């Protein structure tokens, strides 16, 4: 059998739309793994003030003695920032390609099977990006602290002070709804994008992604709601 | 292909025994809103047509034939639409009917969709496939040559022509043959592109790549085929996949999302292999 003699050059993987999706999936996975750790760490608020504040201190000591104080924490932050930048850059890049491909819109549109999480990735992702900035301004930089005094390092007191206000709780709950939807479609998509999905495994992967989304939602939301109803003081 | 897809020859196959396909003929009075566009550069618009007295036994295309005959008698320009075999095997037909590519019946081409799936008084919107790489030629006819360009990039095997090779010379395991056949069922209609919110051709390309990667004849060009076809669909201006699945839901040949996952896997494999051979 002869093969094509002059194979034209093809672009490297990361230049193809599929390769870009793989980078989105990989960066999404990095963020997701970090989010799982973040959620589990937050649950320590439920123990007591000392446990939670010492957890925040533990993060700064993480990796010692191999890494100096807070270096490992900074390493995580750098990796996470890179993941966010890659994820958002490619989300914009791919979305622009996708919009260009359908310039004339249908007069009538109908969805046959597409579920809500799948079609809200763009707007939900944008909402999450805004939320991440708000969240950092809220608890990391301490720029937004309505009705209480923000004290750097007094993580427990800041959290309780913050979520004594119902409208801040509402913002966090809404953001976690967006997060749960993004995690559901995103987690399933990781398998699909890397070619690890098949008819046989699809249902199990979808259900597991759904279970993960629910666990993440409940775990994250428990803290603001717990403070609001007075279970955490 | 599932046993329920109605792809047989009309009139040769007995009518399937489902309740809505019985012998009772009804006449429907319908209202159509059809996309009319004089040519590829022209502005298009939806035009309303009354379509009274349409038999439930007609196919969707036969319904359009009747509407066109009436238009011609009135001295008007008939609605241009694509079709050829009218038995669900050629992939030429394709209309977006009430927002759904190939209309409301799953696993069915437009030509095999029958009017018994509509009810009296229905308002039906008929639009062409809409995608940047599929420019409208006239009314409901689009140029799907972009799919041919993807095939030309590598969707074939390079074999010397001449007498056919002995069929049993290259044994194929049953599972592989089934997988290849399921994917070879793609008729290149382009409904997947039409239905995708991103006008992506991933399902089409995935079907071709999956088909040939499953067979011994497809092996020599396996990696190059994947790399070249993926590059072609990108450069032709199709969108990317966002794992929504509307393509598979409208595909008349029920090509599954699994095929897209397989194409992704094939691309990863081809890229890794290329990386290794470059370093050597
Ligand atoms: C920072 C703001 C964010 C934006 C603007 C954003 C946007 C997007 C977009 C547009 C997609 C592609 C959707 C699709 O292909 O249907 C996507 C996929 C994904 N996102 Fe995000 N996202 C953000 C944050 C996050 C976060 C916080 C996580 C972690 C839970 C995450 C995890 C994922 C995953 C795993 C995917 C799937 C990648 C794939 O398609 O294989 N994203 N995101
Ligand atoms: S994959 Fe299905 S919808 Fe797409 S071109 Fe092939 S037969 Fe048509
Ligand atoms: S006309 Fe051939 S598939 Fe419909």
């Amino acid at each position: 059998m002869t093969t094509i003699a002059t194979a034209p050059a093809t672009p490297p993987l990361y230049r193809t739309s599929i390769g870009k999706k793989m980078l989105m999936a990989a960066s999404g996975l990095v963020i997701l793994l970090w989010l799982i750790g973040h959620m589990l760490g937050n649950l320590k608020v439920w123990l007591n003030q000392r446990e939670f504040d010492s957890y925040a201190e533990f993060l700064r000591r993480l990796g010692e003695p191999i890494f100096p104080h807070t270096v490992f924490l900074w390493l995580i932050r750098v990796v996470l920032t890179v993941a966010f930048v890659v994820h958002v850059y490619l989300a914009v890049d791919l979305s622009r390609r996708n919009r260009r491909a359908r310039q004339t819109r249908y007069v009538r549109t109908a969805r046959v099977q597409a579920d809500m999480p799948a079609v809200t990735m763009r707007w939900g992702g944008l909402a999450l990006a805004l939320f991440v900035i708000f969240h950092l301004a809220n608890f990391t930089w301490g720029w937004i602290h309505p009705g209480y005094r923000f004290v750097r390092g007094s993580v427990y007191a800041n959290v309780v002070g913050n979520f004594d206000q119902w409208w801040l709780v509402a913002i966090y709950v809404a953001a976690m709804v967006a997060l749960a939807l993004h995690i559901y479609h995103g987690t399933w998509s990781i398998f699909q994008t890397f070619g690890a999905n098949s008819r046989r495994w699809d249902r199990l992967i979808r259900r597991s992604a759904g279970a993960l989304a629910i666990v993440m939602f409940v775990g994250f939301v428990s803290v603001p709601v717990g403070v609001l109803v007075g279970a955490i003081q | 292909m599932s046993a329920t897809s109605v792809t047989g020859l009309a009139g040769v196959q007995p009518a399937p025994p489902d309740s809505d396909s019985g012998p009772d003929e009804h006449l429907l009075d319908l209202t159509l809103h059809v996309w009319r566009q004089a040519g590829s550069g022209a502005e298009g618009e939806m035009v309303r047509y009354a379509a009274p007295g349409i038999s439930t036994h007609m196919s969707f295309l036969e319904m359009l034939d009747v509407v066109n005959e009436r238009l011609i008698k009135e001295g008007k320009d008939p609605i241009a639409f694509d079709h050829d075999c009218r038995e669900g095997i050629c992939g030429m037909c394709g209309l977006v009917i009430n927002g759904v590519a190939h209309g409301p019946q799953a696993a069915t081409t437009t030509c095999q969709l029958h009017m018994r799936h509509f009810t009296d008084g229905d308002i039906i919107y008929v639009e062409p496939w809409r995608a940047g790489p599929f420019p409208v030629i006239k009314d409901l006819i689009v140029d799907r040559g972009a799919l041919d360009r993807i095939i030309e990039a590598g969707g074939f095997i390079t074999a010397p022509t001449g007498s056919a090779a002995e069929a049993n010379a290259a044994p194929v395991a049953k599972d592989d043959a089934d997988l290849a056949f399921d994917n070879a069922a793609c008729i290149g209609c382009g409904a997947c592109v039409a239905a995708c919110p991103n006008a992506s051709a991933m399902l089409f390309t995935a079907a071709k790549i999956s088909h040939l990667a499953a067979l011994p004849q497809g092996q020599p060009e396996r990696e190059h085929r994947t790399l070249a076809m993926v590059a072609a669909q990108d450069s032709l201006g199709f969108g990317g996949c966002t794992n929504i699945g509307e393509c598979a839901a409208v595909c008349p040949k029920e090509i599954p999302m699994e095929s897209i996952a397989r194409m992704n896997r094939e691309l990863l494999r081809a890229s890794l292999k290329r990386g290794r051979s470059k370093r050597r």
Side-chain angles (χ1 to χ4, degrees), chain A residues 125-140:
Chain A
L126 182 66
L128 287 174
L130 295 177
F131 169 75
V132 167
I133 295 167
F134 174 79
H135 179 55
L136 291 176
N138 201 186
F139 285 128
T140 306

Side-chain angles (χ1 to χ4, degrees), chain A residues 15-168:
Chain A
R15 296 281 301 277
T16 65
S17 62
I18 298 174
K20 288 177 182 176
K21 283 282 294 186
M22 287 174 177
L23 285 173
M24 281 210 79
S27 54
L29 181 62
V30 168
I31 303 168
L32 179 62
L33 291 177
W34 176 82
L35 280 174
I36 293 172
H38 184 30
M39 187 275 285
L40 293 174
N42 284 1
L43 292 182
K44 291 216 156 194
V45 172
W46 283 100
L47 295 178
N48 55 51
Q49 179 156 12
R50 211 162 39 82
E51 279 285 346
F52 191 59
D53 286 347
S54 75
Y55 162 69
E57 178 52 30
F58 154 80
L59 286 181
R60 291 173 178 77
R61 284 198 318 269
L62 204 65
E64 282 179 39
I66 299 173
F67 293 98
H69 197 62
T70 75
V71 166
F72 195 74
L73 183 63
W74 273 106
L75 215 65
I76 294 176
R77 284 173 179 167
V78 169
V79 170
L80 206 55
T81 309
V82 170
F84 263 107
V85 170
V86 168
H87 198 77
V88 174
Y89 173 78
L90 290 175
V92 172
D93 183 69
L94 288 170
S95 299
R96 284 180 53 193
R97 150 180 287 277
N98 296 345
R99 269 166 190 263
R100 236 179 295 129
R102 162 89 30 76
Q103 271 162 3
T104 334
R105 311 211 144 220
Y106 287 106
V107 175
R108 273 290 294 266
T109 47
R111 272 188 226 133
V112 183
Q113 56 76 50
D115 56 11
M116 208 253 285
V119 298
T120 53
M121 288 304 270
R122 266 173 224 161
W123 290 111
L126 182 66
L128 287 174
L130 295 177
F131 169 75
V132 167
I133 295 167
F134 174 79
H135 179 55
L136 291 176
N138 201 186
F139 285 128
T140 306
W141 304 320
W143 298 343
I144 302 174
H145 49 91
Y148 67 96
R149 213 167 66 81
F150 180 86
V151 181
R152 190 171 301 263
S154 304
V155 190
Y156 188 91
N158 293 339
V159 167
V160 172
N162 198 66
F163 293 128
D164 266 337
Q165 281 133 122
W166 68 268
W167 59 275
L168 281 166

Side-chain angles (χ1 to χ4, degrees), chain B residues 161-174:
Chain B
T161 52
S163 56
E166 157 59 33
N168 293 324
V172 181
K174 177 79 168 82

